[in-house]
């Protein structure tokens, strides 16, 4: 008989062991080796059996063992020391506490989080990045409150059919079996948040009673402790909801249409309400800055607007300005297909009609997500577009991704050159405590103590003995091989093989062979099967008698992505072939635990996306910190930090229109690099058996990339470049009962109304026919302001080199001044342009809005340009 409900019965710990529960309920254990050692000591065999999950450990350990530990003075001293260390970690001032002007607190919203494999609430890079962000914020003392959803079935567990097709299973998750507690009121009542729903046929109010009131989606709030960071996870599986509403948080990225929209409404709107409840109960400072990690949580801005309109009597536009000032939006996708877009009529149904909030008119909601720019689809509501309109600060996740995003979303700031689109970039980083092997950390502590105490001294790795680095690399490679064999055996047996058919797995992979890793999600642009473009050549590389290569592969395709599943099947079928199956393996059910083994154990990390479609790609960073080298297309972070000595760049043929031709060229380059460079360098040994050139590259990689790829650098960049300026803008808006927000909203409305009357009527310059370098060109412009004041605008001259079409290349800008009357209400502006270089030169004049509270000239998307062609003068400077 099958159980109809699954739940977890928690162990009652003896009084001397009560601190174990405190340690389990703070996820710092997921990156703190001493705490993990303590858990292992509880029952070493059981620790391995529960796959290093401390909640399961305490749930399954025998009462007799607990009684024995309760009387073990050595264990109790160790437990006390570990608990005191955690308390010190949670309370001592850290880097953030030394700052001035930083936000009192930051709310961080993400649809998924990769904290630990024991809390399966992630699917890929977005969630892993969010988890590393929280852990690093905790290490640095950054006061973040994280918000997400609790998915009762997580993403999915992956297995393979006998013919290599991906199969999905959604094992149920019992929150009581996770390191979570319910957020409760002072009287012990669980906190509930609710969002309104539109009436629907057959839908009650959530209590099972028809017509008893407006329908609502309710959720309870689970609290996880990620070191110093509280993480709030909303869960709709509560009795107050009808069956359909209970299933809203059933699985990550499951369903479509209404289901996905409800998840994002709960995350954004419900998430803000959960934060308010948490701050009230815990006495935590209210967030000054809200960080939206991708567009899924964008509705949080609507809830903040509603709060300001209803509680502080602001108009919608005033509340919009106050909300934007303190909001940061990070985009992670470089392709339009990766953005959530809903039919406009679906948004209208959920935010309009009987469900419309009088403080947030549905037409204003629709306008925020409208693709009302050239090339946009006016039938859809774009979550990323809404996120950008609700945030004063927007960033991509690598320099190249920032460039791609400025191109992709440039229509929102029409009239401005792509380079001026106000989307910056902060390159992702990775959390060393999570991803770097313990042996590497211990080596660094022993050989590079300054690095471990102050974060400085990366160059010290060059003095570490080559033999010691090579010994640890061999140990990590062997660990990966042994675990890969275990996983491979389990997979083959699950696919229907007999024990007699899997004996070959005992010798699959070689602990001493060059090992290449490839692990990631499997959308088509990541090109899982590029390595198989020429199967015969790949076979020769794998089976080379002198320089053998082995490849370990893992990855999940989205359950609805049939194309991605076919790619996996293609790889699996090749890896099943008897002559190569000991050299190339596909390991199913890619998760954080497998990812950690791979980035630690592989010698080379391979990445071959279609450039420039990889936003960042942090797995290669993790490999680098573990002494691996990268072999990658120059995309994402690798485009930014490849220097010719820290790995190999696969030449990209991204200018070619024919995808088959492009794949063929890039695959040929990949094969050549592996055959003639990677394997040659790896197997070129000296008399001591050491690959000196390889180890020189490893040391160079760690010394130069180490300080860049750490999430500590990333979070510091967010704090200094985005959070602190956002907090300053927020304070300026809020001061004196939101006087700043009221003034800015009124000013924007006045400028937008008058802007059609702003015009540049005449531009002239006086200078030599052929000016020389070092001269200065006087530029004059006559401007009609359409009723605006001179202080409302800036009249600028853009100047610099020009191309053959007279377009300015990386122009400089100078503001024209003077503002002398020129008759008929017009003003004449004058300024000088320095002629600092020879060659083709040009200039142009424009008028843009100017206000001290704007984040930049392009914020409003308004610009007035002179009629072509007389607005530009160019010539040769000699």
């Amino acid at each position: 008989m099958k159980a109809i409900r699954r739940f977890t019965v928690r162990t009652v710990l003896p009084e001397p062991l009560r601190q174990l529960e405190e340690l389990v309920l703070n996820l710092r254990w997921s990156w703190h080796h001493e705490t993990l050692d303590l858990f292992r000591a509880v029952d070493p065999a059981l620790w391995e059996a529960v796959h290093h999950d401390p909640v399961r450990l305490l749930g399954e350990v025998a009462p007799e063992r607990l009684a024995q530990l309760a009387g073990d003075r050595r264990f109790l001293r160790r437990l006390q020391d570990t608990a005191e260390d955690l308390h010190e970690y949670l309370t001592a001032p850290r880097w953030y506490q030394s700052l001035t002007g930083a936000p009192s607190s930051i709310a961080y919203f993400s649809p998924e989080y990769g904290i630990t494999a024991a809390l399966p609430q992630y699917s890929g890079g977005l969630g892993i990045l969010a988890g590393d962000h929280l852990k690093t914020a905790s290490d640095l003392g950054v006061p973040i409150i994280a918000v997400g959803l609790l998915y009762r079935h997580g993403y999915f567990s992956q297995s393979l059919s006998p013919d290599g097709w991906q199969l999905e299973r959604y094992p149920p998750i019992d929150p009581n079996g996770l390191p979570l507690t319910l957020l409760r009121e002072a009287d012990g009542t669980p906190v509930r948040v609710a969002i309104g729903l539109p009436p629907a046929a057959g839908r009650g109010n959530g209590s099972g009673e028809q017509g008893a009131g407006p329908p609502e989606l309710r959720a309870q709030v689970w609290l996880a402790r990620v070191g110093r960071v509280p993480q709030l996870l909303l869960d709709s599986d509560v009795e107050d909801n009808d069956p359909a509403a209970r299933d809203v948080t059933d699985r990550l990225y499951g369903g479509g249409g209404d289901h996905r929209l409800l998840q994002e409404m709960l995350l954004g709107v419900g998430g803000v309400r959960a934060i308010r409840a948490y701050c009230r109960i815990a006495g935590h400072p209210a967030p000054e800055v809200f960080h939206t990690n991708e567009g899924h949580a964008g509705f949080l801005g609507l809830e903040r607007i509603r709060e300001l309109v209803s509680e502080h009597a602001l108009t919608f536009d005033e509340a919009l300005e106050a909300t934007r000032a303190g909001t940061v939006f990070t985009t992670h996708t470089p392709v339009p297909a990766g953005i959530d877009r809903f039919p406009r009529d679906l948004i209208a149904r959920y935010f309009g009609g009987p469900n419309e909030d009088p403080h947030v008119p549905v037409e204003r909601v629709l306008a925020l997500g409208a693709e009302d720019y050239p090339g946009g689809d006016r039938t859809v509501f774009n979550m990323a577009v809404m996120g950008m309109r609700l945030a004063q600060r927007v960033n991509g996740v690598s320099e190249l991704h920032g460039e791609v995003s400025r191109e992709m979303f440039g229509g929102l700031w029409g009239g401005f050159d792509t380079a001026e689109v106000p989307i910056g970039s902060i390159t992702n980083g990775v959390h060393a405590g999570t991803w770097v092997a313990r042996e590497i950390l211990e080596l660094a502590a022993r050989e590079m103590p300054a690095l471990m105490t102050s974060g400085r001294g990366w160059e010290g790795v060059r003095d570490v003995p080559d033999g010691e680095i090579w010994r640890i690399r061999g140990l990590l490679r062997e660990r990966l091989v042994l675990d890969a064999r275990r996983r491979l055996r389990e997979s083959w047996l699950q696919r229907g093989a007999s024990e007699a058919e899997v004996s070959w797995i005992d010798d699959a992979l070689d602990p001493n062979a060059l090992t290449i890793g490839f692990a990631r999600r499997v959308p088509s642009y990541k090109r899982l099967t590029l390595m198989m473009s020429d199967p015969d050549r790949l076979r020769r590389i794998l089976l080379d008698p002198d320089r053998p290569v082995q490849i370990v592969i893992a990855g999940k395709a989205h359950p609805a992505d049939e194309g991605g599943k076919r790619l996996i099947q293609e790889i699996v079928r090749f890896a099943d072939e008897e002559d190569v199956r000991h050299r190339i393996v596909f390991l199913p059910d890619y998760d954080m635990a497998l990812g950690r083994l791979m980035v630690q154990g592989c010698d080379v990390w391979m990445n071959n996306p279609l450039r420039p479609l990889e936003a960042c790609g942090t797995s290669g960073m993790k490999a680098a910190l573990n002494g691996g080298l990268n072999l990658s297309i120059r995309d994402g972070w690798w485009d930014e930090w490849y220097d010719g000595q820290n790995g190999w760049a696969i030449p990209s043929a991204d200018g070619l229109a024919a995808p088959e031709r492009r794949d063929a060229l890039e695959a040929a380059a990949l094969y050549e690099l592996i055959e003639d460079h990677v394997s040659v360098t790896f197997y070129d040994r000296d008399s001591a058996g050491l690959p000196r050139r390889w180890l020189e590259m490893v040391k160079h990689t760690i010394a130069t990339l180490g300080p860049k790829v750490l999430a500590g650098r990333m979070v510091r960049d967010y704090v200094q470049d985005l959070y602190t300026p956002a907090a300053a803008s927020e304070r300026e808006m809020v001061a004196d009962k939101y006087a700043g927000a009221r003034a800015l909203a009124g000013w924007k409305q006045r400028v937008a109304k008058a802007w059609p009357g702003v015009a540049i009527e005449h531009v002239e310059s006086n200078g030599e026919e052929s000016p020389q370098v070092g001269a200065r060109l006087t530029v004059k412009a006559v401007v009609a302001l359409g009723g605006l004041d001179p202080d409302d605008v800036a009249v600028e001259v853009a100047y610099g080199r020009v191309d053959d079409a007279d377009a300015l290349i990386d122009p400089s800008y100078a503001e024209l001044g003077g503002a002398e009357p020129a008759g008929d209400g017009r003003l004449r502006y004058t300024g000088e342009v320095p002629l600092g270089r020879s060659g083709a030169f040009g200039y142009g004049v424009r008028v843009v809005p100017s206000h001290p509270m704007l984040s930049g000239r392009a914020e409003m998307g308004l610009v007035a340009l002179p009629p072509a062609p007389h607005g530009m003068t160019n010539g040769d400077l000699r």
Side-chain angles (χ1 to χ4, degrees):
M1 182 177 178
K2 192 172 182 178
I4 62 171
R5 186 71 185 258
R6 176 193 179 99
F7 57 92
T8 301
V9 180
R10 292 199 176 191
T11 301
V12 177
L13 293 170
E15 186 60 37
L17 302 179
R18 286 295 172 87
Q19 287 175 310
L20 273 175
E21 185 166 12
E22 177 186 352
L23 293 173
V24 166
L25 288 176
N26 193 302
L27 290 164
R28 186 211 185 194
W29 57 257
S30 67
W31 72 92
H32 190 250
H33 293 291
E34 288 75 12
T35 307
L36 292 172
D37 289 343
L38 180 73
F39 293 148
R40 182 180 294 107
V42 169
D43 188 327
L46 181 59
W47 178 246
E48 296 302 322
V50 299
H51 303 293
H52 301 178
D53 181 340
V55 179
R56 286 185 60 194
L57 175 78
L58 294 189
E60 298 182 23
V61 67
E64 297 79 13
R65 177 58 178 164
L66 290 176
Q68 182 183 7
L69 290 172
D72 185 336
R73 287 185 296 176
R74 181 177 297 178
F75 181 85
L76 294 179
R77 281 197 302 271
R78 190 173 172 188
L79 172 59
Q80 180 67 26
D81 290 345
T82 307
E84 289 179 357
D85 182 79
L86 175 62
H87 180 74
E88 169 74 10
Y89 173 84
L90 297 177
T91 57
R94 307 186 83 81
W95 169 77
Y96 192 87
Q97 282 65 52
S98 68
L99 304 180
T100 57
S104 57
S105 130
I106 302 109
Y108 183 91
F109 284 66
S110 180
E112 54 173 300
Y113 291 92
I115 307 293
T116 168
L119 188 61
Q121 301 290 305
Y122 59 92
S123 72
L126 177 68
I128 299 300
L129 181 278
D132 282 10
H133 197 109
L134 299 195
K135 295 172 188 176
T136 306
S138 174
D139 291 342
L140 295 176
V142 182
I144 279 179
I145 307 172
V147 182
L149 300 179
L150 181 72
Y151 304 100
R152 289 300 185 110
H153 296 276
Y155 191 43
F156 67 88
S157 292
Q158 178 197 50
S159 59
L160 299 173
S161 72
D163 66 349
W165 190 257
Q166 172 180 292
L167 303 174
E168 299 94 25
R169 184 173 62 88
Y170 291 87
I173 295 171
D174 176 19
N176 292 294
L178 299 175
L180 305 171
T181 56
L182 271 178
L183 181 62
R184 298 179 182 274
E185 300 284 358
D187 63 1
T189 305
V191 167
R192 291 283 195 273
V193 297
I195 62 173
L197 298 174
R203 183 193 288 273
N205 67 349
S207 64
E209 301 175 22
Q210 297 289 332
E216 289 184 323
L217 171 63
R218 299 182 179 89
Q220 58 191 356
V221 183
W222 293 93
L223 175 63
R225 296 282 181 185
V226 186
R228 300 165 72 117
V229 173
Q231 182 188 28
L232 309 176
L233 300 173
L234 280 66
D235 171 19
S236 69
D237 188 12
V238 296
E239 293 183 5
D240 297 348
N241 289 328
D242 63 26
R246 289 185 189 183
D247 285 343
V248 166
T249 55
D250 58 349
R251 59 186 62 173
L252 177 59
Y253 302 142
D258 294 65
H259 189 84
R260 188 73 168 266
L261 178 59
L262 283 171
Q263 285 190 341
E264 301 192 359
M265 289 175 64
L266 183 61
L267 175 60
V269 177
V272 173
R273 295 174 184 177
I275 280 183
R276 302 306 185 205
Y278 174 79
C279 291
R280 171 176 51 80
I281 293 166
H284 194 284
E288 290 186 284
V289 174
F290 285 73
H291 185 174
T292 309
N293 192 39
E294 243 327 326
H296 309 283
F299 291 127
L300 72 87
L302 299 182
E303 172 62 8
R304 294 180 61 214
I305 289 172
R306 185 202 63 78
E307 289 179 331
L308 292 169
V309 175
S310 62
E311 298 171 13
H312 298 279
L314 271 64
T315 67
F316 185 94
D317 289 298
E318 292 165 350
L320 173 62
E321 295 306 326
T323 296
R324 291 184 72 254
T327 301
V328 172
F329 179 85
T330 299
T331 174
H332 289 261
T333 179
V335 289
I339 296 170
D340 277 344
R341 300 157 94 210
F342 296 103
R344 282 174 60 85
D345 58 356
L346 184 65
I347 300 295
R349 182 159 66 87
Y350 274 85
F351 287 91
N355 198 44
E356 183 171 5
D357 190 303
H359 303 109
V360 187
V362 66
E363 68 272 9
R364 300 303 302 269
V365 175
L366 290 170
L368 287 169
E371 294 187 4
D372 52 357
Y373 44 79
D377 183 347
R378 297 179 184 251
T379 69
V380 302
F381 183 94
N382 187 310
M383 293 295 292
V385 165
M386 177 182 68
M388 292 181 183
R389 285 179 170 144
L390 286 170
Q392 196 174 53
R393 289 163 180 83
V394 181
N395 70 286
V397 292
S398 69
E399 286 186 0
L400 180 59
H401 181 230
E403 295 174 15
V404 171
S405 298
R406 287 189 286 276
E407 288 274 1
M408 187 171 164
F409 297 103
L412 290 172
W413 294 273
F416 286 89
D417 291 342
T418 300
E420 289 188 275
V421 170
I423 300 177
S425 65
I426 290 180
T427 303
N428 286 343
V430 298
H431 184 251
T434 297
W435 300 107
V436 177
R438 186 171 189 173
E439 292 81 0
I440 299 285
L441 295 174
E442 290 172 348
L443 176 67
R446 188 168 63 249
E447 301 285 346
M448 305 158 61
L451 176 62
M452 304 304 289
T453 57
S454 67
R456 298 182 178 87
W458 286 92
E459 285 292 326
V461 71
R462 301 187 192 275
D463 298 324
V464 177
D466 285 357
E468 189 62 6
I469 292 178
W470 191 238
R471 180 188 68 82
I472 291 175
R473 289 298 315 148
L475 186 155
L476 298 177
R477 190 187 311 112
E478 181 178 26
R479 182 181 298 161
L480 170 61
V481 165
L482 294 176
D483 194 76
R485 290 173 181 170
R486 177 186 66 81
R487 291 171 182 267
L488 196 60
R489 179 182 300 276
E490 290 176 357
S491 177
W492 271 66
L493 292 174
Q494 185 275 329
R495 293 170 65 191
S498 66
E499 285 287 350
E501 292 175 288
V502 299
S503 58
W504 64 271
I505 294 177
D506 293 340
D507 299 314
L509 304 178
D510 180 347
N512 297 308
L514 170 62
T515 304
I516 297 176
F518 186 101
R520 48 193 39 87
R521 291 184 304 110
V522 190
S524 59
Y525 76 87
K526 291 182 183 283
R527 295 192 295 182
L528 170 67
T529 56
L530 185 72
M531 68 182 82
M532 291 178 51
S533 297
D534 184 342
D536 292 335
R537 190 170 182 184
L538 175 60
R539 184 176 272 104
R540 289 197 300 273
I541 291 172
L542 296 173
L543 301 178
D544 188 301
D546 300 316
R547 296 194 291 266
V549 175
Q550 58 195 17
I551 305 178
V552 181
I553 305 166
K556 291 180 176 180
H558 188 280
D561 182 5
E562 297 293 306
K565 293 181 183 180
R566 280 192 292 273
L567 296 178
I568 289 175
Q569 185 180 50
E570 187 179 344
I571 280 282
V572 171
R573 286 179 170 175
F574 180 83
D576 283 351
E577 294 182 15
E578 190 171 347
D579 62 331
V580 295
R581 63 189 184 185
H582 64 299
R583 285 280 183 257
I584 180 168
V585 298
F586 181 89
L587 303 179
D589 212 18
Y590 179 43
D591 64 0
M592 287 185 70
L594 177 55
R596 185 181 297 112
L597 278 166
M598 290 183 66
V599 298
Q600 292 175 1
C602 289
D603 301 294
V604 173
W605 199 257
M606 186 165 67
N607 190 26
N608 45 238
L610 283 168
R611 188 182 190 273
L613 302 184
E614 184 82 273
C616 186
T618 56
S619 55
M621 298 178 175
K622 300 162 191 168
L625 287 173
N626 281 288
L629 300 176
N630 277 268
L631 171 64
S632 178
I633 293 284
R634 291 193 62 167
D635 202 0
W637 76 275
W638 188 237
D639 180 73
E640 199 170 325
W641 290 331
Y642 167 69
D643 67 5
Q645 301 298 318
N646 52 10
W648 296 270
I650 304 168
S652 177
D654 50 321
L656 294 180
E660 297 83 3
R661 178 63 175 156
R662 176 176 178 176
D663 286 354
L665 289 171
E666 295 183 2
L670 171 63
Y671 295 140
E672 182 182 355
L673 281 170
I674 295 174
E675 290 172 322
D676 298 340
H677 298 274
V678 180
S679 63
V680 169
T681 308
F682 182 84
Y683 286 107
D684 181 17
R685 310 292 169 84
D686 65 4
S687 59
L690 296 176
R692 296 291 182 181
R693 172 57 183 151
W694 184 276
L695 291 169
E696 181 183 323
M697 292 178 70
V698 167
K699 289 181 175 183
H700 174 79
T701 295
I702 294 174
T704 57
L705 284 181
K708 297 176 182 177
V709 302
L710 287 179
R713 185 271 314 151
M714 173 189 74
V715 172
R716 285 185 177 94
D717 286 350
Y718 273 105
V719 169
Q720 294 166 341
D721 299 344
L722 295 177
Y723 294 163
T724 298
S729 296
E730 164 84 1
R731 291 164 190 161
E732 197 171 13
M733 293 290 172
V734 168
D736 194 17
K737 298 182 179 180
Y738 293 90
R742 298 178 198 274
L744 182 59
W747 178 85
K748 279 190 173 182
Q749 289 172 342
R750 181 169 61 83
V751 169
K753 184 177 180 180
W755 200 258
V758 177
I760 300 173
E761 298 189 351
H762 179 70
V763 176
E764 64 181 37
S765 61
N766 55 355
E768 307 249 348
E769 284 282 328
S770 295
Q772 294 183 332
V773 172
R776 302 185 72 84
L777 192 70
T778 299
V779 177
K780 298 180 180 180
V782 176
V783 178
L785 295 183
L788 295 177
D789 297 329
D791 289 343
D792 295 328
V793 302
V795 180
E796 297 178 331
V797 56
Y799 59 92
R801 293 184 300 122
V802 292
D803 61 19
D804 292 340
D806 283 347
L808 288 164
I809 302 170
D810 297 325
S812 299
Y813 294 88
E815 191 165 340
L816 303 182
E820 300 173 347
D824 297 328
R826 299 173 302 166
L827 295 174
R828 179 179 290 103
Y829 290 80
T830 305
E832 289 188 335
V833 171
L835 306 180
R837 56 167 297 157
S838 60
F841 183 90
Y843 74 87
V845 176
R846 69 181 185 183
V847 184
V848 293
S850 178
H851 192 282
M853 290 186 185
L854 295 180
S855 60
R857 298 291 203 221
E859 178 175 322
M860 293 182 67
L862 299 176
V863 59
L865 301 171
H870 70 271
M872 179 171 290
T873 301
N874 61 52
D876 279 331
L877 304 184
R878 307 182 192 280

